[in-house]
């Protein structure tokens, strides 16, 4: 589930929900809903999160367990 992975990625990078929301130019409450699975992550936000955390969209979506940077 992508919402669990984006929370883990955020926590591993020592960022707050507010910080990530600001980087995405959205409200913290909207970002919180992405993390809890209450709201689907739009493609543009998924791409930005993958770039932010130096991983692939496939990792965030749970299509692979390879977390490392995209080659």
């Amino acid at each position: 589930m992508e919402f669990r992975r984006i929370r883990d990625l955020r926590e591993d990078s020592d960022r707050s929900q507010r910080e990530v929301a600001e980087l995405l130019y959205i409200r913290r409450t909207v970002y919180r809903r992405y993390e809890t699975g209450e709201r689907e992550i739009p493609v543009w936000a998924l791409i930005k999160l993958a770039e932010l955390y130096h991983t692939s969209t496939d990792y965030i979506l749970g299509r692979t367990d390879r977390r490392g940077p995209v080659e």
Side-chain angles (χ1 to χ4, degrees), residues 6-48:
I6 64 168
R7 183 191 66 218
D8 291 343
L9 287 165
R10 177 183 57 78
E11 289 174 349
D12 289 349
S13 69
D14 294 321
R15 294 178 189 265
S16 68
Q17 286 182 342
R18 182 171 307 283
E19 287 175 297
V20 176
E22 287 174 359
L23 290 169
L24 296 175
Y25 301 102
I26 59 174
R27 293 182 181 175
R28 188 198 62 81
T29 56
V30 172
Y31 179 77
R32 179 187 56 78
R33 290 182 183 125
Y34 296 162
E35 282 196 4
T36 60
E38 296 172 50
R39 187 171 180 164
E40 285 190 28
I41 302 171
V43 173
W44 67 266
L46 176 65
I47 292 168
K48 291 235 181 236

Side-chain angles (χ1 to χ4, degrees), residues 1-2 5-6 41 46 56-64:
M1 304 242 187
E2 72 270 6
R5 288 206 170 168
I6 64 168
I41 302 171
L46 176 65
S56 68
T57 56
D58 281 348
Y59 176 77
I60 293 173
L61 292 172
R63 294 175 44 100
T64 183

